[in-house]
Amino acid sequence: MEDDAPVIYGLEFQARALTPQTAETDAIRFLVGTQSLKYDNQIHIIDFDDENNIINKNVLLHQVGEIWHISASPADKGVLATCYNKTSDSRVLACAAVWRMPKELESAPTSLPTTRRATAQTLELLCHLDDGAHSNVACVTWEPMGDGKKVVSLADNHLLLWDLQESSSRAALAGSAALEGKGQLKFTSGRWSPHHNCTQVATASDTTLRGWDTRSMSQIYCIENAHGQLVRDLDFNPNKQYYLASCGDDCKVKFWDTRNVTEPVKTLEEHSHWVWSVRYNHSHDQLVLTGSSDSRVILSNMVSISSEPFGHLVDDDDTSDPEEHQADEKLKEPLRDSVIATYEEHEDSVYAVDWSSADPWLFASLSYDGRLVINRVPRALKYHILL
């Protein structure tokens, strides 16, 4: 099989929630949450064996409802959070909870079995992220560099900071902030910044992006009309502390410098429908993934706004020869941004894309029909970046 060929896995249910198992940095592992109205919902633990190009799965039952969002603890392989729908008195509520998977499934198996385990196991409920007052939770984001004890949940128009205590079996509210303004303001998504000692969270609500300081729970920046329509997702550049990407229903992906929010630094207009998901590569921040309702996944090379806009710079001491020095000056011109590849293995809206935590060259995408595709950055580009 060709090295760059995609590997496809089909779930029997519809799905829109995907995350890498963040604390697992040795094995390639993703978690996928299903959306079924008729049957018990599931979390599929997807282990990818890249030597043999095969996928192995384990299934955990998530009996409380349809999964809209899933996120994994950065510190504990066994712990994850889900946002899910439950019906109560004929009203649909969006709740959030923290779970632990069975001990034997926490780590990816060292030798993958060829037979799939048929029996599904259940998740252990650790705690609910609910203070009773704010019930519609859109997403949960973990403190990225932390010990897995701090999480933020976005519920209706409230940003809630939680402290997970007693082995995550209790969530204590450590702070909250609210969206001020006219109308029914609601958060759609949020991400915790890995920079500034992990004291900042960015959120999307309607067409606006906001930054918050988790120490004072106050707003630190606001980008109004960041997109012409609803903002669906955002992500922080892992290597450049003020840089943020956002995407939305205006079919655009925009890149922002939060120190100057009057206009985006760059805009991508490659998708022809709503853009649901945007993710920076954790190691090589010029690589940006996006997934859209146009059924496509696009890998872009945003090198001009990356932490290495000039490629690898040569040290001045290495070039004593004036001719060589001139050649070096040429190297210092910024490289060009481009679309690296468009992936068309999906036939339905791509709701989520994400990079593996263990292999920087590998990523997964998930479409609503339950199709999970694992792809690699093209080899030629990988070697170009590395060499």
Side-chain angles (χ1 to χ4, degrees):
M1 190 180 255
E2 185 192 337
D3 198 13
D4 287 346
V7 180
I8 297 172
Y9 168 72
L11 290 79
E12 60 253 67
F13 299 143
Q14 292 175 322
R16 65 193 301 151
L18 165 75
T19 183
Q21 186 184 24
T22 322
E24 175 59 82
T25 51
D26 297 326
I28 295 160
R29 182 176 247 205
F30 293 95
L31 309 176
V32 178
T34 67
Q35 286 199 324
S36 166
L37 287 168
K38 287 194 240 166
Y39 304 100
D40 275 340
N41 279 285
Q42 304 170 341
I43 286 176
H44 288 234
I45 304 175
I46 306 291
D47 287 303
F48 180 59
D49 170 357
D50 64 336
E51 280 182 25
N52 301 305
N53 242 30
I54 51 172
I55 282 174
N56 286 272
K57 69 152 186 188
N58 282 291
V59 176
L60 294 170
L61 289 178
H62 183 275
Q63 288 158 320
V64 288
E66 294 182 283
I67 303 168
W68 286 83
H69 183 262
I70 185 169
S71 53
S73 162
D76 188 329
K77 291 181 192 178
V79 174
L80 59 124
T82 60
C83 300
Y84 58 90
N85 272 6
K86 77 165 185 196
T87 312
S88 152
D89 307 329
S90 71
R91 284 196 332 151
V92 177
L93 293 177
C95 311
V98 180
W99 310 87
R100 180 173 285 287
M101 60 176 74
K103 203 83 189 136
E104 67 272 20
L105 296 183
E106 282 185 18
S107 292
T110 41
S111 59
L112 288 164
T114 45
T115 52
R116 291 182 170 183
R117 186 176 315 173
T119 53
Q121 293 171 281
T122 46
L123 288 157
E124 176 198 350
L125 174 67
L126 293 178
C127 62
H128 288 283
L129 297 177
D130 184 8
D131 64 347
H134 316 293
S135 51
N136 281 310
V137 186
C139 91
V140 171
T141 177
W142 299 77
E143 181 182 31
M145 307 296 178
D147 54 5
K149 296 293 177 235
K150 280 206 179 108
V151 291
V152 157
S153 66
L154 301 176
D156 285 328
N157 63 337
H158 278 75
L159 183 144
L160 305 171
L161 175 65
W162 301 92
D163 223 333
L164 300 181
Q165 298 162 347
E166 294 150 41
S167 307
S168 304
S169 63
R170 201 173 82 78
L173 194 60
S176 69
L179 284 173
E180 309 281 330
K182 291 199 269 301
Q184 288 227 302
L185 295 167
K186 265 162 86 167
F187 288 115
T188 48
S189 69
R191 294 288 275 187
W192 200 311
S193 169
H195 309 295
H196 313 287
N197 295 327
C198 294
T199 56
Q200 293 186 11
V201 172
T203 60
S205 51
D206 198 24
T207 60
T208 303
L209 294 172
R210 286 179 174 84
W212 305 84
D213 187 319
T214 55
R215 295 163 300 187
S216 59
M217 295 308 283
S218 56
Q219 189 175 293
I220 42 180
Y221 56 83
C222 179
I223 310 172
E224 286 186 19
N225 302 315
H227 286 262
Q229 287 166 278
L230 188 69
V231 181
R232 292 280 175 189
D233 196 22
L234 47 108
D235 197 22
F236 282 97
N237 183 317
N239 302 333
K240 290 183 80 170
Q241 58 179 351
Y242 297 102
Y243 278 69
L244 175 69
S246 62
C247 62
D249 286 2
D250 58 1
C251 315
K252 293 175 183 173
V253 182
K254 295 187 178 185
F255 298 87
W256 305 91
D257 179 340
T258 58
R259 293 165 299 184
N260 175 17
V261 296
T262 47
E263 57 184 298
V265 187
K266 284 271 174 185
T267 302
L268 275 179
E269 300 186 45
E270 298 296 333
H271 284 289
S272 57
H273 209 271
W274 304 342
V275 189
W276 283 91
S277 188
V278 58
R279 287 289 175 271
Y280 276 104
N281 186 292
H282 313 300
S283 308
H284 306 287
D285 59 274
Q286 68 262 52
L287 301 178
V288 177
L289 271 179
T290 51
S292 159
S293 302
D294 63 12
S295 310
R296 295 184 304 158
V297 174
I298 293 180
L299 175 61
S300 300
N301 192 9
M302 300 306 294
V303 68
S304 74
I305 51 171
S306 74
S307 54
E308 290 186 354
F310 307 100
H312 295 282
L313 283 179
V314 185
D315 197 352
D316 280 347
D317 302 344
D318 300 341
T319 54
S320 43
D321 183 346
E323 273 181 26
E324 276 184 30
H325 192 72
Q326 264 181 338
D328 272 0
E329 287 299 318
K330 276 219 170 81
L331 269 180
K332 291 184 186 177
E333 289 169 15
L335 299 167
R336 287 248 173 100
D337 299 336
S338 61
V339 169
I340 296 158
T342 301
Y343 300 89
E344 303 197 352
E345 290 90 19
H346 292 283
E347 292 164 12
D348 206 337
S349 291
V350 179
Y351 281 138
V353 291
D354 227 320
W355 295 94
S356 159
S357 301
D359 181 343
W361 307 107
L362 196 134
F363 59 90
S365 54
L366 177 70
S367 52
Y368 189 52
D369 53 9
R371 179 178 291 194
L372 179 87
V373 180
I374 291 180
N375 262 305
R376 295 177 180 87
V377 172
R379 251 182 311 183
L381 180 80
K382 171 181 168 178
Y383 294 134
H384 179 76
I385 288 172
L386 287 177
L387 300 176

